[in-house]
Amino acid sequence: MHLHPRLALRSLLTAAAALALGCVGLAAPAHASSAPAAAPASVLDIPPRGANDWSCKPDAAHPQPVVLVNGTFKLMAENWATLSPKLKRAGYCVFAFNYGKMATASVPHSAAELQDFVQAVRAATGAAKVDLVGHSQGGMMPRYYVKFLGGADKVDDLIGIVPSNHGTSNPLAKPLGDIACPACLDQVTGSELLTKLNEGTETPAGPDYTVITTRYDEVVIPYTSALLSGPKEYVTNVVLQDHCPLDPFLHDQATKDPVVARWVLNALDREGPADAAFRPRCIGL
């Protein structure tokens, strides 16, 4: 499947508008204390419901704060509108941020911003480690932080929702990249960035890795590009339709799928990655 032209145009226009507004997003160091966060600098920096209570302290049942990492061309308020409040209601301290000009900057640049944000969350909450839940690029880019920027001992769970772990053969990735999206070029199958990221071990020891993908992914092509190799003790790959054959979700709105939320909570609520034998309820909210 290929990205529908209407979706591609919407993504491109959204990205162009954001770039024109200069919406790069890392205000995290300003929130490194436990004091309430200041008002957002712009409407683009409004967090999703449930996120960025900088006075939140993890409890014994939920010892790691959860950091949500956007996909390319995404803003946190939309990307995590459904999942963030669910995680908050489940008892987690939840944090989100915008980065890299709507995640269009190069992956190494964005990974450095993630490194700073994780440090701010750890300082505010007192937690030794965080859990990362990322969508699309946001599921792949943290692996750069883990592998090359010292994140391996600061991340407990890395959960990727339709992540671009091995890139995409989608023909729109390069044209978008040539316009104003270095991250799009980084996510082309066989890119220098992905070659570096995936050589040797794909899943360095430290975090537990859970990948959740859909057979109907029209952006990360083929959908199997999302899957990671590694020992089953700390790597679980989930294809939604293997357990819920009628699940209709595609790439863009996967973070709003209630089945995806059940897999995310399964991974967060247990030692190790998601339980490969877990059988989520396939209907209802």
Side-chain angles (χ1 to χ4, degrees):
M1 297 175 68
H2 298 294
L3 185 61
H4 192 283
R6 185 178 298 171
L7 292 176
L9 180 60
R10 183 179 68 185
S11 294
L12 181 58
L13 292 175
T14 302
L19 290 167
L21 289 168
C23 79
V24 188
L26 188 63
H31 305 311
S33 72
S34 60
S42 82
V43 294
L44 298 178
D45 289 322
I46 295 173
R49 286 187 303 115
N52 292 5
D53 173 3
W54 291 89
S55 65
C56 186
K57 300 296 182 183
D59 59 26
H62 311 90
Q64 282 80 235
V66 177
V67 174
L68 304 174
V69 189
N70 299 346
T72 314
F73 302 133
K74 290 286 189 175
L75 292 171
M76 57 180 164
E78 181 275 325
N79 209 171
W80 305 111
T82 300
L83 191 55
S84 176
K86 284 187 178 181
L87 296 177
K88 182 68 172 180
R89 288 194 299 270
Y92 289 94
C93 295
V94 182
F95 297 88
F97 72 119
N98 294 325
Y99 65 90
K101 298 182 179 178
M102 289 188 73
T104 61
S106 71
V107 165
H109 177 96
S110 294
E113 292 193 32
L114 174 62
Q115 178 185 32
D116 289 345
F117 191 78
V118 167
Q119 177 55 34
V121 170
R122 292 174 61 236
T125 61
K129 295 184 177 183
V130 302
D131 293 325
L132 300 178
V133 179
H135 176 231
S136 193
Q137 181 196 164
M140 174 273 290
M141 177 270 285
R143 293 177 50 228
Y144 192 98
Y145 163 57
V146 167
K147 193 167 186 176
F148 301 116
L149 300 180
D153 61 352
K154 299 175 181 65
V155 177
D156 186 62
D157 274 290
L158 172 52
I159 303 169
I161 301 170
V162 293
S164 52
N165 282 321
H166 297 92
T168 179
S169 59
N170 190 307
L172 289 170
K174 189 177 187 305
L176 288 170
D178 289 339
I179 294 172
C181 180
C184 297
L185 296 178
D186 283 342
Q187 293 175 88
V188 172
T189 300
S191 72
E192 181 179 348
L193 181 283
L194 289 172
T195 299
K196 176 182 177 181
L197 181 62
N198 290 318
E199 66 185 357
T201 179
E202 295 182 359
T203 50
D208 295 311
Y209 300 84
T210 298
V211 170
I212 306 165
T213 193
T214 172
R215 293 186 189 277
Y216 304 129
D217 198 318
E218 81 289 10
V219 176
V220 174
I221 301 171
Y223 74 90
T224 52
S225 177
L227 306 180
L228 288 173
S229 63
K232 64 181 181 181
E233 289 77 16
Y234 61 88
V235 180
T236 296
N237 291 300
V238 176
V239 178
L240 290 171
Q241 290 76 22
D242 285 350
H243 303 284
C244 296
L246 300 181
D247 190 307
F249 273 80
L250 284 73
H251 183 96
D252 185 67
Q253 297 299 305
T255 60
K256 299 176 176 66
D257 182 353
V259 180
V260 167
R262 292 178 189 124
W263 277 107
V264 170
L265 285 167
N266 179 266
L268 293 174
D269 289 346
R270 66 190 301 270
E271 291 295 322
D275 181 2
F278 176 56
R279 292 296 180 265
R281 185 162 51 92
C282 294
I283 59 174
L285 300 177

